[in-house]
Amino acid sequence: MTTKVPAELSSTPGIADSSNATAITIDSSERVGILQSSPTSNLHIGASGNDAKRELRIDGTNGSGQTYGCIIEADGENGRFVFKVGQSGNTPAQQFMVHPDGGICFGSDTAAANALDDYEEGTWTPQITASAGSAGTAAYSNQMGRYTKIGNKVFFEFQVVMTNKGSWSAYTRVLGFPFTVTSGGLTAFAIARFPDDTIGANMIAGELQPSSTYCFFPTGSRLDTLHDISNVDTGYYLVGAGHYTI
Amino acid sequence: MAITKETVVDKIEVLEMGQVQVRTATVIKEDDIEVNRTFHRHALAPRTKSGDTWGDTDISGEDARVQAIANATWTDDVKSAYETLIDSQTP
């Protein structure tokens, strides 16, 4: 490659060049390499030797002088992409990092288990069914379910009206939760309305079952009896909300 | 100006115990440029229990790719393991 130095650049005070090797390369496709003689992107910062990290540093000022601003660091050795921010001239500290296994770690954390790796919003369709029998002529109205998934937590809300109980029997349940509940243990959630006027002074709660996408409804004075669909009144709302771990 | 709406199964996930999670995207386009995308989810278990009896999960109404993945995943061993897991955890 021929090194060309335009006369107007070689003598300008605007560029201070003390290099003893090529630092900047512009190829025939007008891609610019910094410490990279064969750039493959429009701007390509190269790395070589034992130094596994390359940084892009942007300084700020505090109104009277230069301070450290932020550093974007490519940590090739650990496969990390790190964002550091400094204040009042202090050396920038890691604020967050893109983890090589996916997700974002906050602060100086590097644990894959703590990386926030998903966010999703959507809808789901709640159905009142039961633990035995079959759908038959079961019918519903006002089926509305919403969820927001943040990492391994699913936040949900739903409402549903059963207009025909079909051939379902035994324990009342709601099917259709958007993600499978983690294994081991039950997950409780709150009920705002429940279609049964025989509950009286008893309590009622939602209880998501492990490794599944459905819940039962414990009731009674100790919440230790599962609600039976024979007591569901058609035409009334079942409304609930909560969150669970996947 | 042409506004179109299409529904597509855009994510199919298989969990350790064989559950298949399906995400359906509804995409609104204006002159072929996407202007909105919303998601709906449901999940399918390898087996379905009614009373004390286990049976095959009905996937006849599912997208063809979901059926293919479920049928390939839900071997007898997977179904049996799922039944054992649920029976051990459900009251």
Side-chain angles (χ1 to χ4, degrees):
Chain A
M1 177 180 293
T2 303
T3 300
K4 295 174 279 190
V5 182
E8 60 272 24
L9 290 183
S10 64
S11 59
T12 177
I15 296 176
D17 183 358
S18 302
S19 63
N20 52 21
T22 301
I24 299 174
T25 300
I26 304 175
D27 71 7
S28 58
S29 297
E30 286 70 50
R31 291 176 295 213
V32 177
I34 298 175
L35 299 179
Q36 172 54 256
S37 59
S38 301
T40 58
S41 300
N42 288 349
L43 177 60
H44 183 167
I45 300 176
S48 61
N50 295 326
D51 183 1
K53 299 175 183 178
R54 284 294 182 270
E55 296 179 344
L56 178 63
R57 169 177 159 176
I58 304 172
D59 285 338
T61 69
N62 59 6
S64 59
Q66 175 182 302
T67 69
Y68 260 116
C70 66
I71 289 177
I72 301 171
E73 177 188 276
D75 180 350
E77 181 178 11
N78 296 300
R80 297 169 184 162
F81 190 47
V82 179
F83 291 78
K84 301 177 177 178
V85 178
Q87 189 176 29
S88 302
N90 296 321
T91 301
Q94 179 173 316
Q95 302 301 320
F96 70 94
M97 177 264 290
V98 178
H99 198 279
D101 293 340
I104 297 170
C105 288
F106 298 97
S108 59
D109 195 354
T110 59
N114 295 339
L116 177 59
D117 60 356
D118 192 27
Y119 179 92
E120 183 181 310
E121 299 174 18
T123 60
W124 56 286
T125 305
Q127 281 183 291
I128 299 174
T129 67
S131 59
S134 59
T137 58
Y140 310 91
S141 64
N142 303 86
Q143 289 172 283
M144 186 283 293
R146 286 192 287 255
Y147 70 85
T148 298
K149 178 176 179 289
I150 303 173
N152 71 343
K153 284 287 183 187
V154 178
F155 298 84
F156 67 89
E157 57 201 56
F158 71 93
Q159 62 182 46
V160 56
V161 174
M162 191 171 213
T163 55
N164 186 321
K165 290 192 274 189
S167 302
W168 292 115
S169 60
Y171 303 136
T172 307
R173 62 183 181 182
V174 165
L175 293 180
F177 285 85
F179 296 87
T180 303
V181 182
T182 189
S183 62
L186 302 166
T187 304
F189 66 91
I191 299 297
R193 296 188 184 190
F194 198 82
D196 178 6
D197 65 356
T198 66
I199 291 177
N202 287 329
M203 299 182 287
I204 185 109
E207 188 178 76
L208 281 153
Q209 305 301 299
S211 307
S212 75
T213 52
Y214 60 84
C215 68
F216 290 120
F217 297 95
T219 185
S221 59
R222 293 190 182 89
L223 287 177
D224 56 0
T225 303
L226 294 182
H227 187 268
D228 195 290
I229 197 166
S230 64
N231 292 323
V232 165
D233 301 324
T234 56
Y236 291 88
Y237 275 97
L238 197 172
V239 180
H243 58 84
Y244 61 94
T245 303
I246 62 168
Chain B
M1 180 192 305
I3 295 177
T4 60
K5 175 182 176 181
E6 60 186 55
T7 300
V8 58
V9 172
D10 75 337
K11 186 178 282 188
I12 305 170
E13 302 157 317
V14 179
L15 305 189
E16 181 182 2
M17 296 308 296
Q19 303 99 322
V20 177
Q21 297 186 156
V22 182
R23 188 175 76 176
T24 304
T26 300
V27 182
I28 307 296
K29 292 182 178 177
E30 183 177 318
D31 293 333
D32 282 336
I33 297 173
E34 183 174 321
V35 294
N36 191 37
R37 177 180 288 253
T38 56
F39 298 123
H40 185 88
R41 276 193 176 265
H42 70 286
L44 303 163
R47 293 276 276 173
T48 303
K49 192 174 188 180
S50 179
D52 293 327
T53 306
W54 285 100
D56 285 338
T57 300
D58 180 8
I59 56 172
S60 59
E62 299 294 331
D63 180 89
R65 291 181 300 152
V66 174
Q67 290 189 33
I69 289 171
N71 286 329
T73 302
W74 294 347
T75 62
D76 288 344
D77 287 347
V78 168
K79 292 176 181 177
S80 177
Y82 181 78
E83 291 178 9
T84 301
L85 175 69
I86 296 300
D87 284 339
S88 70
Q89 295 183 140
T90 305

